[in-house]
Amino acid sequence: MADRGAELQANLAAVHERIATACGDAVRDPAEITLVAITKFFPASDIVHLVDLGVRHVGENKDQEAGAKVAELPAEVRELLTVHFVGQLQSNKAAHVARYADVVQSVDRTKIVKALDRGTGTALGEGGRHTPLEVTIQVDLGEGADAGRGGAAPADVPALADAVAATEHLRLRGVMAVAPLGVDEDGTAAAFQRFADLSARLRADHPDATWISAGMSGDLETAVTHGATHLRVGTGILGTRR
Ligand SMILES: *Cc1c(COP(=O)(O)O)cnc(C)c1O
């Protein structure tokens, strides 16, 4: 599909334009923002196109799909990429994720922290990876009835962060969240502001935990306004699932 490269190029340019405009409005430097292309549902060949177009961060949300796709990438493509895992994670899958992911953004309970640390230790020992696993804690920004898009309750974040910091092989980099379901733009803005405040409190104890992963195709401008450092954009770049 010769046209797929052109399609991805146009979509990517439009997303970069939106980020630039949002940064202009928020008086922020676009260089502070890392764009993570969420490639779930799309083939490894799309990742190859994206790397050609300068993308260096991709994200996946299902272990089986992600592992197979990363394995399919040519070595010279893989080595240019940082692979983020952003999906809900079961502890029995953690060791496998630790073999191919550079970052796990969706850490939301102690059991996962332990499983990822063990899995990363094993992968390092076997030469399957060479760096610590970078992690962010996923925070549930839903209030009351609409909670449940995954993530730890805000009150549980400090203890979880301490648990990550105490591991041998994991490196705490910050926090991740998805906007709550069923709220309007003001509700999303309020949630992202609470999230930025939570991040500031976390950094008082963990100064390296600087990443604020918030914002997807539909709300990336709001996320930029409220301090996001990482945007996870799927449909805006890849298009809708076919
Ligand atoms: C799918 C997904 C995204 C991307 O969502 P889009 O609306 O397609 O941009 C971001 N974050 C997570 C955790 C996802 O699962």
Side-chain angles (χ1 to χ4, degrees), residues 42-170:
F42 292 92
S45 57
D46 277 358
I47 299 181
V48 174
H49 280 306
L50 289 172
V51 169
D52 271 347
L53 295 167
V55 168
R56 292 295 179 263
H57 294 261
V58 295
E60 289 282 337
N61 76 335
K62 292 232 166 29
D63 171 49
Q64 210 178 351
E65 179 186 346
K69 220 180 281 182
V70 173
E72 239 184 272
L73 294 172
E76 67 273 19
V77 171
R78 174 65 187 93
E79 73 189 19
L80 291 172
L81 272 180
T82 300
V83 173
H84 297 244
F85 188 84
V86 302
Q88 293 209 18
L89 191 51
Q90 290 159 315
S91 52
N92 63 350
K93 302 280 173 65
H96 187 237
V97 171
R99 279 193 225 158
Y100 61 79
D102 301 299
V103 180
V104 173
Q105 293 203 10
S106 43
V107 171
D108 62 358
R109 54 199 194 277
T110 329
K111 201 173 168 190
I112 294 294
V113 173
K114 291 189 178 133
L116 282 174
D117 187 41
R118 264 198 311 274
T120 305
T122 303
L124 285 165
E126 292 171 351
R129 66 177 304 130
H130 306 287
T131 54
L133 184 67
E134 301 196 287
V135 307
T136 63
I137 294 175
Q138 184 176 354
V139 183
D140 184 356
L141 298 180
E143 289 186 309
D146 73 1
R149 302 193 78 178
D156 295 337
V157 171
L160 206 46
D162 290 345
V164 173
T167 63
E168 197 173 340
H169 307 297
L170 307 183

Side-chain angles (χ1 to χ4, degrees), residues 139 141 149 175-180 183 185-199 212-216 218-228 230-232:
V139 183
L141 298 180
R149 302 193 78 178
V175 285
M176 183 271 259
V178 178
V183 299
E185 205 181 314
D186 288 346
T188 300
F192 283 166
Q193 187 55 51
R194 290 199 304 278
F195 187 47
D197 295 342
L198 179 151
S199 164
I212 302 178
S213 176
M216 318 199 312
D219 54 21
L220 70 86
E221 287 85 357
T222 309
V224 167
T225 304
H226 296 282
H230 289 62
L231 304 174
R232 307 178 311 273

